[in-house]
Amino acid sequence: MSRTIMAFDFGTKSIGCAIGQEITGTASPLKAFKANDGIPNWDDIEKQIKEWQPDLVVVGLPTDLHGRDLETITPRAKKFANRLHGRFGVAVELHDERLSTTEARADLFAMGGYKALSKGNVDCQSAVVILESWFEAQYGD
């Protein structure tokens, strides 16, 4: 059985979202949600969850290059993950997102040059990178 999995790249100004299928191990960008100090419009998030009905939600966990929590953003990403679970009853897992933004920028630049590097595109592509990294961690290459 193949599960549908949604991923979020949490940020204080923008939260990227992607969707993927376990059977293919690939993800596609959905959209970026504006956030006000890390708080999104929960109605917008709910619309995506209702539309896609994910079996699992993966939230990127921001850490430093050594895997340690970042004082300001890591607890907020965890809180966002807890709120997703509490509000929508979805299963949520956290996944290390080290260097996901760097990789997302490189992917987007390769596809469309500087014009592809808008904030929303980068956040959504970061969610794609997080989800595909999660697939890799679960199932290997």
Side-chain angles (χ1 to χ4, degrees), residues 52-75:
W52 292 96
Q53 299 181 7
D55 298 293
L56 175 68
V57 173
V58 174
V59 175
L61 185 64
T63 60
D64 69 13
L65 291 177
H66 304 289
R68 294 184 298 252
D69 287 1
L70 297 167
E71 193 175 308
T72 56
I73 194 82
T74 306

Side-chain angles (χ1 to χ4, degrees), residues 33-141:
F33 301 97
K34 290 198 183 309
N36 184 359
D37 197 26
I39 301 168
N41 178 332
W42 288 106
D43 292 340
D44 292 342
I45 303 273
E46 183 176 17
K47 284 178 193 165
Q48 289 296 295
I49 288 175
K50 280 185 174 177
E51 180 179 343
W52 292 96
Q53 299 181 7
D55 298 293
L56 175 68
V57 173
V58 174
V59 175
L61 185 64
T63 60
D64 69 13
L65 291 177
H66 304 289
R68 294 184 298 252
D69 287 1
L70 297 167
E71 193 175 308
T72 56
I73 194 82
T74 306
R76 297 179 80 182
K78 289 178 180 177
K79 187 175 184 179
F80 174 74
N82 288 336
R83 285 193 172 154
L84 284 170
H85 175 70
R87 281 178 180 260
F88 308 115
V90 293
V92 178
E93 282 188 28
L94 294 165
H95 181 70
D96 183 347
E97 68 162 45
R98 273 179 277 179
L99 301 178
S100 63
T101 301
T102 303
E103 187 175 332
R105 285 179 190 277
D107 292 348
L108 287 169
F109 186 79
M111 288 186 273
Y114 286 109
K115 290 180 182 176
L117 295 177
S118 73
K119 179 75 173 124
N121 284 352
V122 171
D123 292 333
C124 290
Q125 190 63 33
S126 291
V128 167
V129 169
I130 289 164
L131 187 48
E132 290 183 347
S133 168
W134 182 87
F135 285 137
E136 224 172 85
Q138 305 305 304
Y139 310 108
D141 293 328

